[in-house]
Amino acid sequence: MKYWLMKTEPTTYSVDDLANESDLTTCWEGVRNYQARNLLRDEIEEGDRVLFYHSACKTPAVVGLATVARGGYPDHHAWDKKSHYFDPKSDPESPTWFMVDVKLDQKLERPVTLAELREEATRARSPLSDMVLLQKGSRLSVQPVTKKQFDRVVKMSQS
DNA sequence: GCCAACGTTGGC
DNA sequence: GCCAACGTTGGC
């Protein structure tokens, strides 16, 4: 099992939106970055765990835990001309873009803010010290986290 | 709203 | 293949 962090802008799609889905599940469509695409297509599998992160908002934070409900499959929005995510270069015969399904396990009791993550990362031997999210210039919308990082973030949400 | 960092595009 | 211009991300 692997661990990931997925970013979403809450004004576009928030953890509450996911909580309001009838089956607590949504497809993670619209990723249009090749590095993230490769993860979605090749690495992310059913059962993997996800930190659900709110970005580009007043208080960026990990706000929920989710599980991958379906591994990588073609993002059909790419060839829907009416979709915001339409991409004329993506061919249904050989899809360019992929997505996964994620299911919400729980909203965190307490969001773990980016500021707290940064602070924790400065502590000696913190598992967060090499967290991708905290690296300068990092803006991958789907990124790997280690089990230790995942567990630490969960623990921070409980204290 | 600003701006640094990064990714993509396209002329050459 | 280089690189300038442009677009996007996302913290602050």
Side-chain angles (χ1 to χ4, degrees):
Chain A
M1 191 204 319
K2 293 182 222 162
Y3 298 84
W4 309 97
L5 179 145
M6 296 189 188
K7 297 180 186 175
T8 179
E9 300 188 17
T11 52
T12 302
Y13 191 90
S14 73
V15 69
D16 288 319
D17 291 325
L18 184 54
N20 285 331
E21 302 283 357
S22 57
D23 50 2
L24 300 177
T25 302
T26 191
C27 60
W28 206 258
E29 84 279 15
V31 173
R32 296 291 179 266
N33 167 283
Y34 286 101
Q35 208 178 337
R37 184 283 306 273
N38 292 346
L39 296 176
L40 291 169
R41 185 188 60 192
D42 305 331
E43 301 290 337
I44 303 180
E45 299 180 297
E46 185 176 335
D48 287 356
R49 306 296 313 282
V50 175
L51 297 174
F52 193 102
Y53 178 82
H54 281 173
S55 69
C57 56
K58 190 173 178 184
T59 308
V62 177
V63 293
L65 305 179
T67 295
V68 176
R70 181 180 177 186
Y73 63 105
D75 181 351
H76 55 78
H77 300 80
W79 51 82
D80 173 2
K81 284 185 179 168
K82 294 190 294 284
S83 170
H84 175 65
Y85 299 116
F86 175 66
D87 178 0
K89 295 190 299 298
S90 181
D91 172 9
E93 297 299 313
S94 176
T96 305
W97 304 115
F98 285 73
M99 59 185 179
V100 299
D101 289 353
V102 293
K103 178 171 187 172
L104 182 67
D105 295 317
Q106 59 173 106
K107 284 178 64 175
L108 294 183
E109 299 168 38
R110 194 179 65 73
V112 179
T113 67
L114 179 61
E116 286 175 80
L117 294 170
R118 288 199 189 287
E119 190 181 355
E120 163 63 25
T122 65
R123 301 172 75 91
R125 293 177 299 282
S126 171
L128 303 193
S129 61
D130 57 354
M131 194 174 183
V132 174
L133 181 74
L134 306 180
Q135 287 165 15
K136 185 179 163 87
S138 162
R139 36 176 236 192
L140 255 192
S141 63
V142 177
Q143 53 180 250
V145 298
T146 66
K147 181 178 193 317
K148 283 184 177 178
Q149 290 165 353
F150 185 95
D151 290 344
R152 178 59 57 98
V153 172
V154 172
K155 196 162 191 179
M156 289 169 74
S157 75
Q158 294 165 341
S159 59

